[in-house]
Amino acid sequence: HLHIKGLKMSKSLKNFVTIREALTEHSARQLRILFLLQGWDEQMSFSNQTVDDAKNKEKYFRNFFQEVEALSRQDYLDGVVSWQMGETDHALAKALLTTQETVHRSLLDNFNTRDAMLAMLELVSQANVYMRTQDVKPAILLLRRIAMYLTYMLRVFGVIQGSDSFGFDSGAAEAGSGSKSQTVAPYVEALVAFREKIRAAALTAADKSDPAIRAVLEACDDVRDNALVEIGVRLEDRPDGTKWNLDDPEVLRKERADKLEKERTARATKTKNLIAKLSKDLEKARSAMLNPAEMFKTEEFTAWDEEGLPTMQADGEPVSDAAKKKKKKLQAKQIKLREDITAKSNCEPAELATKLEAEIAELEKSL
């Protein structure tokens, strides 16, 4: 049975979701990964958590493919193509064979796609560790072999379409001199090198508040986040330099929209939290506006002493000593509140309240 956010999908519960509806928010690839990661003989869960997990797995595969693609753009066939890292290379090759056996065995076990996918993800993890090895001299042909095997299996599972040798069908990983990646590489790398040079100069400028410096950095971000996205080039600024890969423009646009939405949500949450804090401060300021000497001058009493404490009730009965003591404590608390507010804000409570009201109103407009 399919469960939506922990409840069995049912029209009576009004949590019925069709594939067509799901595809309006998530890609077909993400939904396929979600299904593959769940056991066929167990209840299937469709929730924000499981969808996010599928998106993370998709990103995990994509990042690996892009790393291998970037390595493949090097003239690795002109240099040493043998394994140069000894046991480290052999361990990765063995991990590939182990994964192939695990995937095969899992599919023979009632098409256990979940264990097959987990084994493939573990292979990606081991390959990533391999590529991060200090002073790495990667066996690029081995990494390409791993990428091609993963692509083959993901294509069998329906996750990948197209005929690229590896990757998510960006047209970038196809072998041969006529591949799209090889064709555009000189032009993209020239642009990336130029952008990286002027960006580095701007980042090391003495006065980063200079409008010209800010304009340069904004232009660099705009090229990365907009211009290159529209032509299907993914650009990532990393500590070790700028990396680029070809990708589906629609995927990049969706990622950009998701990123902007997360940033908008984060800003809105931060603004709401600030409004909540200022509202509490406003409540205190308004409370502090009450003059301690006037706080008990209500219809409940008819006479007060020089400090403003009540001495006679409206029915003509004198205020008891116990009641006076209680009122004295309340008045002392009000005096302290007023003094604290005045000291912290360096202004009278009424003036502070006016400022807070204006600030809250301005923040509410931004939501």
Side-chain angles (χ1 to χ4, degrees), residues 125-275:
S125 176
Q126 293 182 59
N128 286 337
V129 170
Y130 171 87
M131 287 188 286
R132 290 194 296 268
T133 302
Q134 188 175 6
D135 299 325
V136 63
K137 296 178 181 178
I140 298 177
L141 288 177
L142 174 59
L143 289 169
R144 285 180 59 89
R145 183 181 169 192
I146 291 172
M148 287 188 284
Y149 169 71
L150 294 173
T151 300
Y152 169 76
M153 290 309 306
L154 290 173
R155 187 174 288 124
V156 169
F157 291 152
V159 173
I160 290 180
Q161 311 298 321
S163 58
D164 283 359
S165 58
F166 67 83
F168 282 155
D169 193 29
S170 65
E174 187 66 29
S177 59
S179 73
K180 183 178 179 181
S181 179
Q182 290 178 325
T183 301
V184 305
Y187 310 102
V188 175
E189 287 175 357
L191 173 62
V192 169
F194 172 72
R195 175 185 174 275
E196 193 169 12
K197 185 175 181 179
I198 61 172
R199 181 172 179 270
L203 288 173
T204 56
D207 183 11
K208 293 185 176 61
S209 63
D210 186 329
I213 296 298
R214 292 205 305 270
V216 168
L217 291 173
E218 288 171 2
C220 289
D221 289 346
D222 183 67
V223 168
R224 178 195 62 203
D225 299 335
N226 296 301
L228 292 179
V229 164
E230 295 304 319
I231 60 175
V233 178
R234 178 191 298 275
L235 205 63
E236 296 181 4
D237 293 314
R238 301 180 182 179
D240 60 340
T242 303
K243 305 293 183 182
W244 70 270
N245 294 91
L246 298 185
D247 210 331
D248 184 350
E250 193 57 41
V251 171
L252 296 176
R253 293 188 196 104
K254 181 67 167 55
E255 289 181 1
R256 179 179 60 189
D258 290 344
K259 178 183 177 183
L260 292 175
E261 178 60 23
K262 286 181 179 178
E263 290 175 352
R264 188 199 67 77
T265 301
R267 286 195 302 270
T269 299
K270 185 177 180 179
T271 300
K272 289 177 181 177
N273 290 338
L274 181 56
I275 289 174

Side-chain angles (χ1 to χ4, degrees), residues 37 97 261 277 282 288 319 325:
L37 288 170
L97 294 175
E261 178 60 23
K277 179 183 178 300
L282 176 59
V319 177
K325 187 176 181 180

Side-chain angles (χ1 to χ4, degrees), residues 60-77:
Y60 200 55
F61 280 121
R62 177 185 288 114
N63 289 345
F64 171 69
F65 289 141
Q66 290 173 347
E67 289 290 339
V68 177
E69 179 205 331
L71 290 172
S72 297
R73 286 199 297 268
Q74 303 174 10
D75 295 327
Y76 62 94
L77 293 178

